Amino acid sequence: MKIILENEMEKQVWEIMMSAHFKWERNHGAQLQDFISFYVNELYIEEVMEILDKEVETRLKDLYGNEYFCSEDEYILNGIDNNIKYWNDDSYYEPYEFQEIADEISDWIKDYREVREEIKDNREDIKDEVEDELRSFYYTFFNAPEELIVIYNGEVIPRCKR
């Protein structure tokens, strides 16, 4: 994660915040992580679940494409709409026979069902991955800011020493 500091004041405040963080961590250990985890996992659970669900859907759509996130009937109708001119174009080839079209649609149905099954299988893995990234995000931000990349005037601020 990157933080870009805009001015000298922000740079100085970052250094003060890091000093305060180290003192807090030395005196209170993991209390901050426990407190943030409580907020994320208990108080804001509905909002967090909504965020996670949206992110999982976005990643699945990026991975498989939008065309598989509709009903089977809509998928077939879209395929027909996209191919009807091609099937009836007799300028280069003979128009498709009914059985050829039926076989192609049958292949689409098989493909759709296989991909939907794959999406179903991958949904939980991706959800776990997104939850881990979220946990890593708030952990790094609140509990391990020394792992953040801090940039000021195009230069990386060296990690503060304890």
Side-chain angles (χ1 to χ4, degrees), residues 4 13 19 40 58 67 89 107 110 112 137 143 146 162:
I4 298 175
V13 169
S19 176
V40 170
T58 298
E67 65 268 15
D89 183 9
D107 290 342
K110 181 180 174 188
Y112 177 84
F137 174 77
N143 295 308
E146 63 274 1
R162 293 179 182 225

Side-chain angles (χ1 to χ4, degrees), residues 67-80:
E67 65 268 15
Y68 293 102
F69 292 86
C70 60
S71 71
E72 187 174 301
D73 292 340
E74 290 171 321
Y75 180 79
I76 300 305
L77 288 174
N78 288 335
I80 291 171

Side-chain angles (χ1 to χ4, degrees), residues 87 96-109:
W87 289 334
Y96 274 59
E97 297 292 326
F98 177 77
Q99 188 57 47
E100 292 173 310
I101 294 171
D103 291 342
E104 194 166 341
I105 291 173
S106 178
D107 290 342
W108 295 346
I109 293 170

Side-chain angles (χ1 to χ4, degrees), residues 20-82:
H21 174 273
F22 291 135
K23 184 172 183 171
W24 174 272
E25 190 175 44
R26 187 177 58 242
N27 294 332
H28 302 287
Q31 283 182 342
L32 186 58
Q33 181 180 356
D34 294 342
F35 186 66
I36 298 304
S37 293
F38 173 71
Y39 259 77
V40 170
N41 296 318
E42 301 292 331
L43 295 181
Y44 286 92
I45 188 66
E46 291 173 12
E47 293 87 345
V48 169
M49 293 310 292
E50 187 177 317
I51 292 167
L52 292 174
D53 290 342
K54 284 181 183 177
E55 183 62 23
V56 167
E57 286 304 308
T58 298
R59 291 184 186 196
L60 286 169
K61 286 179 181 179
D62 287 347
L63 191 59
Y64 293 100
N66 284 331
E67 65 268 15
Y68 293 102
F69 292 86
C70 60
S71 71
E72 187 174 301
D73 292 340
E74 290 171 321
Y75 180 79
I76 300 305
L77 288 174
N78 288 335
I80 291 171
D81 287 345
N82 293 334

